[in-house]
Amino acid sequence: MHMARRLDPFMAGMFAAIAAGAVWPAAGGLEQALDLTCTLAVGLLFFLHGAAIAPRHAFQGLRAWRLHALIFSLTFVVFPLLVAPAAWISNLPHGLSTGFLFLAVLPSAVSSSIAYTALARGNVPAAVCAAAASNILGLLMTPILLSLLLRVSPAAGFDLLAAFKGVVFQLLAPFALGQGSRLLAGSWVERRPRALASYDQAVIVLVIYVAFSQSAGLWTTLSWRLAILALVACLALLCAVFLVAVVAARSLRLSRDDEIAAVFCGSKKSLASGLPLAQVLFAGSPEFGLIILPIIIYNQVQIIAGVFLARRYAQGALDKEDASQPQIRTALE
């Protein structure tokens, strides 16, 4: 419950940014200034994350190759297989169906994957490795997979080469500079995790405001029926991935700790990476607000559902420990 309360201001900020973008959209010089601010803020965000992630932490647990193969498959194979057929045959608006395809190919979330794995008493080192690798690899995988899905779908106009250039110069280059500056800035950033988390959230709120501000006519396109449909679809998608992750982990006879890491790393989608990627891939699109709507909704659903599932796993671990105590005492006697 404490985690849920702590996240409430962030949720309120996102909803306020959506409302502000719809009611008071930026225009003229302010719009151009905010576009430039977003670009610089996103670059600084990835620089700080590059400085904060220690290579030794990112690569701990690599020996658990079956676990990492499962998490990679859930993130970049199972999600597209679940989402793409429904998006292709649905009668959703073009921007919303593109948004669900974009959601399906996003990398896993780093901080929440690790936080929920720790809360559930799972394999934290493996979660760190898998989530970090997913984010770094996702910067390259997401444009490729999205291009393939959009070629099959009715959507068009996606320039893969331009997308790669944007990802490299706006996201990967700052991240690499951050990694290169770890000797100077790494310890400073690591000592300020709350400040980094607050900056993450501020950038996300800014990107949301700019996105919805630039999406002319979004609220006339998006009815309450479509909003509710998107919410139900995100909830169904999360439950389906949870189920696939649990069944696959147990079929592979992974330990309980590895199962927890697979469930949380494999089911998460990164809002922190997703919105900057969307800013690069779909900048200037009049449907930008619709495109990012699924990842915003899915983020809220995964936060709330993740708390309950993590607490259930943690309680199961406590019950198992309590059950083993009489056996330990008997053996000592």
Side-chain angles (χ1 to χ4, degrees), residues 22 29 52 83 95 116 118 121 149 153 168 230 232 235 242 292 307 320 333:
V83 171
Y116 286 130
R121 298 191 168 194
L149 293 180
S153 72
V168 169
V232 172
L235 181 59
F242 276 158
I292 67 170
V307 171
K320 187 175 180 180
E333 292 172 357

Side-chain angles (χ1 to χ4, degrees), residues 17 45 69 104 117 130 136 146 151 154 201 226 230 232 236 243 246 254 267 280 297 302 326 330 332:
L45 174 70
T117 300
I136 296 171
L146 185 61
R151 284 180 184 277
Q201 295 174 2
L226 281 177
V232 172
L243 179 61
V246 171
L254 300 181
S267 65
V280 172
I297 294 176
Q302 73 181 9
T330 301
L332 291 175

Side-chain angles (χ1 to χ4, degrees), residues 96-298:
L96 197 57
S97 62
T98 300
F100 273 105
L101 293 173
F102 178 61
L103 168 66
V105 297
L106 284 176
S108 178
V110 176
S111 57
S112 60
S113 296
I114 297 167
Y116 286 130
T117 300
L119 179 62
R121 298 191 168 194
N123 188 340
V124 174
V128 171
C129 176
S134 172
N135 254 252
I136 296 171
L137 186 60
L139 294 178
L140 298 175
M141 290 290 295
T142 295
I144 295 174
L145 292 174
L146 185 61
S147 176
L148 293 174
L149 293 180
L150 294 182
R151 284 180 184 277
V152 178
S153 72
F158 184 78
D159 189 337
L160 180 60
L161 181 59
F164 264 123
K165 288 180 179 178
V167 167
V168 169
F169 287 108
Q170 295 184 43
L171 305 181
L172 281 179
F175 184 88
L177 287 174
Q179 282 279 290
S181 68
R182 272 192 55 79
L183 291 177
L184 297 175
S187 60
W188 186 88
V189 175
E190 289 174 352
R191 289 196 303 269
R192 293 165 175 81
R194 292 185 180 180
L196 182 57
S198 298
Y199 181 70
D200 281 354
Q201 295 174 2
V203 172
I204 289 170
V205 171
L206 175 62
V207 171
I208 290 174
Y209 171 73
V210 172
F212 278 85
S213 179
Q214 292 176 343
S215 299
L218 170 65
W219 300 108
T220 59
T221 303
L222 183 68
S223 65
W224 283 107
R225 182 183 66 83
L226 281 177
I228 294 173
L229 179 62
L231 174 61
V232 172
C234 287
L235 181 59
L237 176 61
L238 181 63
C239 292
V241 176
F242 276 158
L243 179 61
V244 172
V246 171
V247 171
R250 294 180 182 179
S251 298
L252 292 171
R253 297 184 179 181
L254 300 181
S255 67
R256 174 190 169 279
D257 291 353
D258 285 353
E259 176 187 318
I260 291 171
V263 166
F264 288 110
C265 292
S267 65
K268 298 290 184 186
K269 287 294 183 177
S270 176
L271 186 68
S273 295
L275 289 186
L277 277 168
Q279 184 74 16
V280 172
L281 302 178
F282 303 105
S285 170
E287 298 179 309
F288 196 12
L290 278 176
I291 291 171
I292 67 170
L293 187 63
I295 181 57
I296 293 174
I297 294 176
Y298 188 85

Side-chain angles (χ1 to χ4, degrees), residues 39-104:
T39 299
L40 296 176
V42 168
L44 179 58
L45 174 70
F46 275 79
F47 172 84
L48 292 174
H49 277 288
I53 297 177
R56 66 179 184 278
H57 292 155
F59 292 103
Q60 278 182 354
L62 278 176
R63 289 176 297 179
W65 64 270
R66 291 191 303 164
L67 171 61
H68 297 304
L70 174 57
I71 293 172
F72 179 88
S73 298
L74 290 168
T75 304
F76 296 114
V77 178
V78 172
F79 263 100
L81 288 177
L82 290 173
V83 171
W88 291 336
I89 66 175
S90 69
N91 293 320
L92 293 175
H94 176 269
L96 197 57
S97 62
T98 300
F100 273 105
L101 293 173
F102 178 61
L103 168 66

